[in-house]
Amino acid sequence: MKKRLLALTIVFFIFPTIIYINRLAAGASPAFIAGRNARDLPADDTLLVKIEDYEITQNDVERYINLQKFTEIIAESDYEHDYTSVLDTGTALENLVRNRLYYIEARNRNLVVADEVVSSYIDNMRSAFKNTDILESKEGQTLVEFAQGMGVTVDQYLEELFPVYKELLSIGRLKAEIVDPQASLDEQQEEWQEFGQDLFEIYSHLIEESIS
C-alpha cells in the first residue's frame, strides 16, 4: 500500500527534470511510449459536458485515460498498449465530472486553496525531485522516460498543471472534512464515493451534457 501511495503521489505531483530528445520508437520503454502517446493525442475539442463555465472535452477524457494508464505503469510495473483497457470513456467522463463537483462543493465551503499555496506546493515538488533517492528509484526513472516522451521540461509541465493542483488540493481539504479518519481505507473510499453521488443530485442543474 505504501508503495502504491508513493507511486500515485509521484504521478500526480512530481515530474522529473528532463531534456528534449529525439528517440526512435523501436526499443523505447513503455513509459516513453506512454508519454509520446500523451503528447500525440489527436486534437478533439468536442464539448461533452459543461458545468458552469467549466468545459470537459473529448481531449480531456483522452488525457485522463492516458494518465490513469501511466498511473498503472508506475504502481504495478505493468503496461498494455490498449489505453482504453483501463477506463472506458464513459467512466472517465463521469470521474472528471465528479471531480469538478467536488471542487464546487469545496468552493462553497470556502475550502479552495489560495494561489500562493499552490505555487508553494509546486516549488516543494520541484525541490523534492532533486532528492537522489527519488530520482534514481524505479518510479523516478519511469517518470523520466515518460517525460522524455512528452517532450516538455518539468517547469513547463508543472506550470501547465497549476489549475489541476489547485483543484486536487482543494478537493483534498474537502475529503478531510467528509470522511471519518478512524474508518478503514475501504470505508473511507466508500463514504467518499457516496458523497460524490449525492453531489450529482445536488448540482444536477449545473450539468449541461452535449452527448447525444
Side-chain angles (χ1 to χ4, degrees), residues 26-40:
S29 71
F32 180 89
I33 294 172
R36 187 193 58 193
N37 288 349
R39 180 199 65 192
D40 294 339

Side-chain angles (χ1 to χ4, degrees), residues 47-81:
L47 179 63
L48 301 180
V49 172
K50 185 175 182 180
I51 308 172
E52 296 181 318
D53 60 346
Y54 181 79
E55 297 182 345
I56 300 175
T57 68
Q58 184 63 41
N59 266 147
D60 295 324
V61 171
E62 295 300 328
R63 280 193 292 266
Y64 182 83
I65 291 174
N66 194 73
L67 180 58
Q68 294 305 306
K69 186 61 209 181
F70 182 57
T71 300
E72 182 178 294
I73 295 172
I74 290 291
E76 304 295 345
S77 298
D78 185 26
Y79 180 80
E80 298 174 7
H81 290 283

